[in-house]
Amino acid sequence: MKISVIIPVYNAERYVRYAIDSVLAGAKRLAAEDEGELVCVDDGSTDSSWEILDEAAACDTRIRVFHKANGGEGSARNRGMDEATGDLLVFLDADDAFH
């Protein structure tokens, strides 16, 4: 069973790296691409959030990043659901972490 963790991101440069790291460190089911993915949706950030996301995706093939014009958290979550390939969906806010 494949798990997709979806993180909607808007101007979260101070937190998003920690959120990503918490998913990758704590989610044993994301150990391989065929078991999980991290879907990050940049919702038109005006800070460096989008750069942080792109750098993370360049370093880890389990991370998929999508950029869109600002439309609010709901539209970013919907985009994440559209792009996710997992059997189960889990949402994490950009300023939260899995422990």
Side-chain angles (χ1 to χ4, degrees), residues 3-84:
I3 299 172
S4 295
V5 178
I6 300 169
I7 302 179
V9 179
Y10 178 74
N11 288 349
E13 66 185 4
R14 292 178 29 197
Y15 313 104
V16 72
R17 188 173 284 118
Y18 185 72
I20 291 170
D21 289 345
S22 78
V23 171
L24 298 178
K28 293 182 176 149
R29 292 295 304 263
L30 292 181
E33 281 182 60
D34 60 334
E35 296 175 343
E37 66 182 346
L38 175 54
V39 177
C40 299
V41 180
D42 173 45
D43 190 32
S45 294
T46 58
D47 65 1
S48 65
S49 295
W50 64 272
E51 293 173 339
I52 294 167
L53 296 175
D54 287 346
E55 288 172 8
C59 294
D60 194 317
T61 59
R62 297 171 294 179
I63 302 172
R64 298 173 54 220
V65 176
F66 301 93
H67 302 278
K68 60 180 276 321
N70 183 259
E73 184 177 0
S75 71
R77 286 177 181 263
N78 287 338
R79 174 71 186 274
M81 288 190 297
D82 290 343
E83 301 293 347

